[in-house]
Amino acid sequence: MNSTPMHSVADGATGRPIAAPATMLALMIVALLAGLPGAPLAHAQTPVAVLVGGGVSGGIGIESADVPVYAGDGGCGTFEEGSSASGAIDGRLVLPTFFGPAVGLDARLRLGYGSAQLTATPPTATTVRNGGALVELDREYRMDRSTVSATVDLLARFAAGPLSLGAGASLGARLSSTFEQTDNILGPGASAFSDGSTSIAMTTAATESSTFIVAPIVAAGYPIALGAGGTLIPELSLRFDLLSSLQDGSWRSVEPGLGVGILFDLTPAATPIREGGG
């Protein structure tokens, strides 16, 4: 007995062939499986890595200046050099692969405090009579400045073996600045001014005319994995303050710093992309 061959079924209205029931069932199964969680994926869309955290830092700076001791008169001495100390806290957003596989973006919102002092020696000696003898006083002019600043630090980050290297700039403003200028007797012995003090206030020669901060930065860190998505980063940095804030004269600083930051991985999960669709 010969088996009857299977033929396509034709639509009576249009005459166009209709797929055999077995073929239609197979297509339905494939479509159903494509919508299940375990269905094959073409690829997963990898998101940009995101690290969020904060840090603390401090530094000892080298100050350079050209500020007359008395406003408008450089003949009585000029403040030219000094030192400073600073501290800061910051919040950080790091995108390690923002520019490429090994080049990222490090953005920080930083609140800092700094205390700096310039010193100058009177150009002419001061002598006083002490016990019948003339004694030359050891005098020193001092200018102290305290500042509070807020900046946004933007650095390009480079992975270099175990190190994380950065270069960029700090942009911001001084929120407050205070100046104090004094004339001081350092010796010899118990020498003092006529009122018995060894330090008297002077009229401050410095007048601040600008609050803007522009400072190039270079940094080197050593990331240490903590587990649970955390990373500890000890860091060395060098910051150059390019803009002088003074109206008469100039005052700039170079600040080596030491800090530590902690970052947490908040990278979103990869988005799966299915075959034949987004």
Side-chain angles (χ1 to χ4, degrees):
M1 179 176 177
N2 295 331
S3 60
T4 304
M6 180 177 291
H7 298 284
S8 297
V9 179
D11 187 320
T14 64
R16 288 180 292 188
I18 299 177
T23 303
M24 294 179 63
L25 180 60
L27 291 175
M28 291 174 63
I29 293 174
V30 170
L32 179 62
L33 290 176
L36 294 177
L41 302 178
H43 65 278
Q45 184 176 2
T46 303
V48 174
V50 178
L51 306 178
V52 176
V56 295
S57 60
I60 302 296
I62 302 170
E63 308 296 307
S64 61
D66 183 9
V67 182
V69 172
Y70 293 97
D73 183 5
C76 294
T78 303
F79 292 108
E80 296 181 346
E81 59 185 18
S83 60
S84 64
S86 65
I89 58 174
D90 64 68
R92 307 182 184 187
L93 171 64
V94 179
L95 308 177
T97 58
F98 186 79
F99 297 112
V103 184
L105 174 66
D106 184 343
R108 306 180 183 184
L109 180 60
R110 182 175 185 266
L111 183 65
Y113 172 80
S115 177
Q117 183 180 87
L118 300 177
T119 59
T121 301
T124 58
T126 302
T127 58
V128 297
R129 188 170 296 277
N130 185 5
L134 291 178
V135 177
E136 182 178 326
L137 296 180
D138 183 8
R139 292 174 62 197
E140 182 179 72
Y141 298 131
R142 297 173 183 168
M143 179 181 288
D144 295 279
R145 178 175 74 173
S146 298
T147 60
V148 176
S149 61
T151 60
V152 174
D153 298 352
L154 299 174
L155 297 89
R157 279 286 178 184
F158 309 88
L163 299 179
S164 174
L165 306 180
S170 179
L171 308 173
R174 296 175 182 87
L175 303 181
S176 68
S177 294
T178 59
F179 293 87
E180 181 182 15
Q181 189 169 324
T182 56
D183 185 354
N184 305 269
I185 295 179
L186 308 181
S191 299
F193 291 105
S194 58
D195 63 356
S197 66
T198 57
S199 180
I200 59 173
M202 302 175 63
T203 301
T204 302
T207 302
E208 195 165 55
S209 60
S210 173
T211 62
F212 294 110
I213 296 173
V214 177
I217 310 169
V218 292
Y222 186 81
I224 302 172
L226 299 178
T231 303
L232 187 71
I233 309 178
E235 183 178 73
L236 294 173
S237 64
L238 192 60
R239 184 181 297 260
F240 306 86
D241 192 351
L242 293 182
L243 298 183
S244 174
S245 64
L246 301 186
Q247 179 176 337
D248 298 317
S250 64
W251 190 337
R252 295 179 175 85
S253 64
V254 177
E255 182 186 308
L258 175 65
V260 62
I262 186 168
L263 297 173
F264 297 95
D265 191 346
L266 299 185
T267 304
T271 303
I273 305 299
R274 302 186 184 281
E275 292 181 351

